[in-house]
């Protein structure tokens, strides 16, 4: 928990910011203190900040404020703001044939309709004046930060705001049919970095990667996502630095994970010794007090069988499943044929109730859950 608190005290660690660099420096210092061979791998990224974000809805002839937060890398609104009719969208047509004309209107859409790149492009091609996104996994009254993968950013042609589920529900229920918004934001080129630390094996040149990510989204310090994973990774490094295993370990704290694993992608494209890597263990968002720790195994069925065996032997209540998921830093390695196990803890069936929100302070992280997971992985 000391690692969790140290990183959350830095504050927001969005890609390319001073906060992200400070986190990388602390992680590097810890690795060096263990006597590991450490290097930092810099790569380009997009950074983002904003000065103004306001959203209002017209309800029964009166304008009322609606809570909202800009999506990462959203363009600014024109200087005078935007006023437009509101169109809720329940389904994006696969063929791009819209029943309603979205040009010059604001579109309200749930994230479950935007996971598909083709649908996202279809929505942008309909030329809405603004896009309001609701994370329909999380039906709460706080704003959830929804962003876009780096490859999608150039397709965004209008301001994009995140709206809490509860607020969107009330908008629809109360007949809000017109909105106005102001957004002043800045997207800029920046630098992010991976921190890589090697521990030689006692008898083999093969490598296992142990990873986590140190960046956060824009509206919280990411205590669980992913100070919790960094904490477990660092304590694994502490343990194995005094107890070297047969094959080598490479500990990597990735930057810019929250833009769909840009740091891990850069590592994959520029690392010369991928043939040595036999397995990847990824820790990301795994510390909630109550919930279900799922272990996403990507690889042969034997991998899941092995993880189940380790869970039984250690008494760890994990739930191994075979799944190829693009939502954390193991995924680029999977594309290179490297099998992996990703530890992720849901607090309820859909996700984590505090996911990417102001609620994600260090109080949501359980020391006992982290300790239990750490001992299981050792």
């Amino acid at each position: 928990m000391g690692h969790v608190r140290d990183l959350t005290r830095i504050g927001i660690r969005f890609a390319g910011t001073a906060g992200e660099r400070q986190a990388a420096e602390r992680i590097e210092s810890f690795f060096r203190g263990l006597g590991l061979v450490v290097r930092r791998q810099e790569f380009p990224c997009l950074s983002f900040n904003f000065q103004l974000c306001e959203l209002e809805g017209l309800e029964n002839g009166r304008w009322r404020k609606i809570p909202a937060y800009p999506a990462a890398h959203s363009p600014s609104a024109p200087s005078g703001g935007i006023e437009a009719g509101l169109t809720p969208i329940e389904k994006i047509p696969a063929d791009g044939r819209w029943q309603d004309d979205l040009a010059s209107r604001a579109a309200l859409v749930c994230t479950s309709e935007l996971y598909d790149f083709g649908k996202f492009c279809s929505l942008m091609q309909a030329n809405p004046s603004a896009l309001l996104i609701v994370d329909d996994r999380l039906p709460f009254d706080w704003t959830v930060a929804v962003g876009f993968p780096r490859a999608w950013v150039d397709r965004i042609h209008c301001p994009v705001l995140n709206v809490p589920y509860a607020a969107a529900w009330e908008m629809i229920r109360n007949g809000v049919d017109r909105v106005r918004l102001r957004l002043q934001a800045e997207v800029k080129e920046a630098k992010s970095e991976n921190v890589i630390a090697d521990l030689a094996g006692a008898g083999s040149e093969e490598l296992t990667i142990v990873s986590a990510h140190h960046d956060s989204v824009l509206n919280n310090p990411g205590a669980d996502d992913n100070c919790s994973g960094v904490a477990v990774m660092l304590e694994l490094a502490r343990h194995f630095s005094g107890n070297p295993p047969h094959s080598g370990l490479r500990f990597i704290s990735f930057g810019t994970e929250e833009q769909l694993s840009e740091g891990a992608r850069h590592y994959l494209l520029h690392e010369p010794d991928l043939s040595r890597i036999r397995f990847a263990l990824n820790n990301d968002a795994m510390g909630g007090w109550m919930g279900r720790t799922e272990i996403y195994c990507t690889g042969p069925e034997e991998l899941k069988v092995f993880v189940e065996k380790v869970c039984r032997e250690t008494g760890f209540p994990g739930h191994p499943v075979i799944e190829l998921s693009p939502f954390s830093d193991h995924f680029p390695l999977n594309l290179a044929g490297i099998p992996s196990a990703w530890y992720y803890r849901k607090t309820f069936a859909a996700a984590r109730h505090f996911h990417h929100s102001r609620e994600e302070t260090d109080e949501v992280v359980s020391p006992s859950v982290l300790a239990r997971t750490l001992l299981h992985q050792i």
Side-chain angles (χ1 to χ4, degrees):
M1 283 303 293
H3 298 303
V4 172
R5 295 188 183 103
D6 284 347
L7 290 172
T8 55
R9 275 195 289 266
I10 293 173
I12 292 169
R13 303 178 306 282
F14 194 81
T17 64
E20 192 200 30
R21 286 192 297 276
Q22 188 176 349
E25 289 166 358
R26 291 192 182 186
I27 293 165
E28 177 188 20
S29 177
F30 183 86
F31 283 148
R32 291 195 183 280
L34 298 176
L36 304 183
V37 178
V38 185
R39 56 192 165 102
R40 284 162 71 171
Q41 184 183 51
E42 189 176 79
F43 58 91
C45 71
L46 281 184
S47 196
F48 178 81
N49 59 60
F50 72 100
Q51 297 75 45
L52 175 68
C53 179
E54 294 179 349
L55 176 65
E56 295 179 297
L58 186 62
E59 181 182 316
N60 297 323
R62 299 182 62 182
W63 291 98
R64 67 175 182 89
K65 289 186 177 180
I66 298 170
Y69 205 86
H73 310 114
S74 167
S76 294
S79 58
I82 292 172
E83 181 175 331
L86 179 66
T87 299
I89 297 173
E90 295 187 11
K91 182 177 181 180
I92 297 174
D95 58 7
R97 297 179 181 178
W98 295 87
Q99 291 184 342
D100 300 316
D101 184 6
L102 291 186
S104 302
R105 295 183 66 83
L108 176 70
V109 64
C110 291
T111 53
S112 57
E113 273 296 289
L114 286 177
Y115 288 134
D116 183 280
F117 182 63
K119 288 185 176 182
F120 169 74
C121 291
S122 175
L123 182 58
M124 288 292 100
Q125 289 166 1
N127 199 31
S129 60
L131 180 59
L132 308 182
I133 297 181
V134 181
D135 195 324
D136 50 344
R137 298 170 301 170
L138 303 163
F140 308 120
D141 61 359
W142 55 75
T143 309
V144 180
V146 175
F148 296 94
R150 173 62 186 91
W152 295 30
V153 171
D154 293 338
R155 304 293 185 106
I156 303 174
H157 302 308
C158 65
V160 185
L161 303 185
N162 298 314
V163 178
Y165 186 97
W169 178 284
E170 291 302 309
M171 289 171 66
I172 303 299
R173 177 175 176 267
N174 295 329
V176 172
D177 60 2
R178 196 164 190 82
V179 295
R180 60 189 184 192
L181 63 92
R182 294 196 294 166
L183 175 62
Q184 296 176 8
E186 179 186 19
V187 181
K188 62 180 181 180
E189 298 286 343
K191 296 289 185 181
S192 182
E193 54 193 330
N194 302 323
V195 183
I196 304 168
D198 283 346
L199 175 65
S204 171
E205 292 297 313
E206 293 181 347
L207 284 174
T208 292
I209 286 181
V210 180
S211 64
H213 73 88
H214 52 264
D215 64 312
S216 73
V217 295
L218 201 61
N219 66 336
N220 74 72
D224 189 39
D225 183 12
N226 184 34
C227 297
S228 66
V230 172
V232 169
M233 178 190 67
L234 294 180
E235 288 305 307
L236 286 170
R238 188 202 300 272
H239 171 79
F240 285 109
S241 66
N243 303 274
H246 178 73
S247 59
L249 295 176
R250 174 166 291 165
F251 301 94
I252 308 180
S253 189
F254 287 112
T256 319
E257 187 274 345
E258 298 294 357
Q259 295 177 37
L260 214 58
S261 300
E262 278 293 291
R265 185 179 72 89
H266 181 85
Y267 172 78
L268 172 69
L269 293 175
H270 294 87
E271 190 57 43
D273 61 352
L274 288 175
S275 62
R276 294 174 57 200
I277 301 170
R278 302 305 301 274
F279 183 71
L281 172 66
N282 186 40
N283 288 310
D284 189 355
M286 47 192 292
W289 283 92
M290 184 177 77
R292 170 188 173 102
T293 299
E294 299 196 341
I295 308 170
Y296 299 108
C297 301
T298 305
E301 179 66 27
E302 289 82 2
L303 173 59
K304 176 176 176 285
V305 172
F306 173 76
V307 174
E308 287 173 337
K309 177 176 179 289
V310 174
C311 287
R312 288 194 303 271
E313 292 175 348
T314 61
F316 183 73
H319 297 265
V321 295
I322 288 285
E323 182 169 329
L324 176 64
S325 171
F327 294 119
S328 194
D329 288 319
H330 58 282
F331 182 65
L333 298 171
N334 295 156
L335 298 182
I338 298 169
S340 67
W342 168 29
Y343 283 68
Y344 175 79
R345 185 168 173 82
K346 294 179 177 179
T347 64
F348 68 116
R352 300 172 307 127
H353 71 275
F354 43 76
H355 175 73
H356 287 187
S357 75
R358 66 170 187 259
E359 306 298 314
E360 195 178 326
T361 68
D362 56 15
E363 293 180 355
V364 308
V365 178
S366 163
S368 60
V369 167
L370 293 188
R372 182 178 67 187
T373 308
L374 172 69
L375 291 172
H376 157 74
Q377 291 187 0
I378 288 172

